[in-house]
Amino acid sequence: QRMVEDGFQANGRGSLGSAAMAFMRQHGVLKDIYKESEGDAHRTSRGKQVTVRTVKAPGFGPRGIARYVLPFTAFLKLKDIGADVLPPYEERYVDVAMGPEQAELYGQLSSTLTAELKEALRKGDNSLLGVVLNTLLAWPDTCFREEVVKHPRTRSLLAFTGSVYDESEPGPKEQALIDLCRREKARGRRVLAYTVYTGMRDTSGRLKSLLEQAGLKVGVLKASVDTSRREDWIMEQVERGIDVLVTNPELVKTGLDLLDFPTIVFMQTGYNVYTLQQAARRSWRIGQSLPVDVIFLGYADTAQTACLSLMAKKIAVAQSTSGDMPETGLDVLNQDGDSIEVELARRLAA
């Protein structure tokens, strides 16, 4: 009715074509494509011909949203609709102790890199921040291969650590994942396992191998699967009978409802609070009939636990500002706004 009031209505022949184009011009996105070519239109010289065609493009302007959408929209949180809309949801953190050799080598690596970082910061050099943080966060999960750490500018050797676990030997956190997946399979529940490391530090292939070695059926969703096909691809894996789906949380953070995986395990989280919150609720959607369990695994007394602690504080602040006041939200509302990387670096260099 409001659109008709604004003049967007059928013409005398009952066609809405002109009204649709006018609406798109005013509130949407149209692309005018000009094509210029040379022709033989002139008797004594070649002339230029210009043709124009208009195509529609995605987009809706804020004025149109404010006039035609928001006045007729109700915004509700699922928890406000009723207690029976969604099943119980629980998040918990599990502290995993490193193996003796793993802990010893991590201590040496941490001591060496932290000393190098402090010295660089004392000289006003921030180039080691990313190198040190990424290494200390990743090494406990990737110590199945040698770690060579070089200065990003001079390429001088900062630290070297040999491998701890071979291809068929799971580390403590990997064993914790295997044990959890076995328990969930016995309960008739599938597991969604998140790992953020790809490329040089890829852990998805190793997790698949270790889980299959333990008698579990595993699917690995990679970025090579086109976005438009991911939901169908996952359903094909479910029909194939997988017990565990391994993927990067970035690949499923939006647009997918993974109701077949009521148990979610984060092997790592990364720094992005939005990605973590979205990925953690992939299976907690309308239509889910099973309780949803989300488990965060972290190696005790490492940069991983410090990172998870900072992520928890950032999430508490985000929830507080959106109206969901956590129990400890007020304690962190006076945070200084630094990124998690900067705050973590400050802790390491303290």
Side-chain angles (χ1 to χ4, degrees), residues 8-9 16-25 30 56:
F8 303 114
Q9 54 188 320
L16 286 169
S18 58
M21 190 60 71
F23 184 85
M24 288 290 290
R25 282 254 180 237
L30 290 175
K56 297 176 182 178

Side-chain angles (χ1 to χ4, degrees), residues 69-306:
V69 179
L70 294 182
F72 312 101
T73 304
F75 294 92
L76 297 172
K77 294 182 184 294
L78 289 174
K79 66 179 184 180
D80 296 333
I81 298 176
D84 298 328
V85 173
L86 289 173
Y89 175 89
E90 180 184 0
E91 291 183 1
R92 66 180 186 275
Y93 170 71
V94 177
D95 221 12
V96 180
M98 289 190 288
E101 182 184 1
Q102 184 185 17
E104 181 181 353
L105 289 177
Y106 177 83
Q108 296 172 4
L109 183 66
S110 177
S111 176
T112 300
L113 292 181
T114 301
E116 293 281 357
L117 176 61
K118 288 180 178 179
E119 179 63 19
L121 292 175
R122 188 182 65 81
K123 296 177 180 179
D125 180 7
N126 296 326
S127 61
L128 290 185
L129 278 174
V131 173
V132 172
L133 290 179
N134 290 333
T135 301
L136 294 182
L137 282 171
W139 186 84
D141 288 321
T142 60
C143 58
F144 50 86
R145 60 167 60 98
E146 295 178 343
E147 185 75 33
V148 180
V149 187
K150 293 185 177 181
H151 195 286
R153 288 207 309 265
T154 66
R155 307 310 297 168
S156 61
L157 183 66
L158 298 177
F160 171 82
T161 302
S163 60
V164 179
Y165 301 105
D166 60 31
E167 292 182 359
S168 60
E169 182 185 10
K173 191 195 284 189
E174 294 165 333
Q175 187 61 55
L177 174 65
I178 292 170
D179 294 341
L180 186 147
C181 290
R182 281 173 166 168
R183 291 195 301 270
E184 294 304 283
K185 181 179 180 180
R187 297 172 59 198
R189 292 166 61 95
R190 294 185 182 89
V191 176
L192 175 59
Y194 288 130
T195 178
V196 302
Y197 296 126
T198 56
M200 184 185 70
R201 286 194 171 104
D202 180 51
T203 54
S204 59
R206 174 177 168 84
L207 289 177
K208 181 177 189 294
S209 176
L210 292 173
L211 289 164
E212 288 180 341
Q213 184 179 299
L216 296 158
K217 206 166 186 178
V218 186
V220 179
L221 174 62
K222 297 190 175 183
S224 56
V225 179
D226 188 76
T227 305
S228 61
R229 281 208 67 251
R230 284 175 190 168
E231 192 161 14
D232 291 337
W233 185 93
I234 292 171
M235 290 307 301
E236 290 170 4
Q237 299 301 307
V238 171
E239 291 173 3
R240 189 170 68 86
I242 64 169
D243 304 304
V244 187
L245 176 64
V246 178
T247 190
N248 188 312
E250 288 286 346
L251 300 183
V252 298
K253 68 180 181 182
T254 56
L256 292 179
D257 294 339
L258 304 179
L259 301 179
D260 294 292
F261 302 88
T263 300
I264 296 176
V265 182
F266 282 85
M267 298 297 283
Q268 308 91 26
T269 62
Y271 298 125
N272 193 311
V273 169
Y274 172 77
T275 297
L276 186 151
Q277 289 182 288
Q278 291 293 317
R281 288 162 174 76
R282 282 301 92 203
S283 62
W284 197 51
R285 292 285 186 268
I286 292 177
Q288 179 61 268
S289 59
L290 299 173
V292 173
D293 294 329
V294 179
I295 301 101
F296 298 90
L297 299 180
Y299 278 117
D301 303 318
T302 68
Q304 291 184 359
T305 54

